[in-house]
Amino acid sequence: MSFFKPLDYLLMLLGLAICTVSILAATTQKEGTPLLLVSSPTAEYLYPLDKDDTIQIQGLEGTTEIRIQQGQASYINSPCANKTCMAAPPIHRNGEWSACLPNGIFMRVENQGPATNDDIDIMAF
């Protein structure tokens, strides 16, 4: 005598199908277009990171130049005295940021789509 009835097998198969579809949907999401948000003392600007460009932003001390190249953004010229921002590595992943504090320019990568394991800093359960 069988412990399971025919309807039990059908419900188990349906549950397995729902789990499989959910896992596939969660792991095959498309990434959004990565955007660079640039904040200045007077305005905020959005630029696509997938299009090479050189941007000039007016800050507190003068004009800062930001280069977007091959999906990465970096400072290439700034009027600040110490030029620390120009020595910072390029940013490209969701949540990364860089700033030219003396000139009041801040840039951050946003809207890159679902996080990957490399993007996770901390997890709590």
Side-chain angles (χ1 to χ4, degrees):
M1 184 167 218
S2 176
F3 182 70
F4 294 112
K5 297 180 181 172
L7 188 57
D8 293 332
Y9 288 111
L10 181 63
L11 289 175
M12 284 189 286
L13 284 174
L14 181 62
L16 182 62
I18 290 172
C19 288
T20 303
V21 169
S22 298
I23 290 171
L24 288 174
T27 59
T28 58
Q29 294 178 3
K30 289 186 176 181
E31 288 189 4
T33 300
L35 298 173
L36 180 69
L37 172 67
V38 180
S39 300
S40 75
T42 58
E44 288 190 337
Y45 309 92
L46 278 174
Y47 299 94
L49 268 180
D50 58 357
K51 182 179 178 185
D52 292 354
D53 198 359
T54 300
I55 306 159
Q56 295 186 346
I57 304 291
Q58 187 64 35
L60 298 171
E61 296 185 0
T63 303
T64 294
E65 286 185 73
I66 298 171
R67 178 174 290 146
I68 299 174
Q69 189 172 22
Q70 297 176 346
Q72 299 183 347
S74 59
Y75 293 102
I76 58 170
N77 194 12
S78 185
C80 59
N82 58 11
K83 311 278 188 205
T84 304
C85 57
M86 293 171 53
I91 61 173
H92 66 280
R93 291 193 310 206
N94 194 23
E96 285 186 324
W97 61 273
S98 187
C100 179
L101 295 179
N103 204 23
I105 306 295
F106 181 83
M107 63 179 178
R108 179 177 65 236
V109 177
E110 291 188 348
N111 263 357
Q112 199 165 350
T116 64
N117 287 339
D118 293 338
D119 294 335
I120 298 172
D121 291 331
I122 188 168
M123 293 179 82
F125 295 98

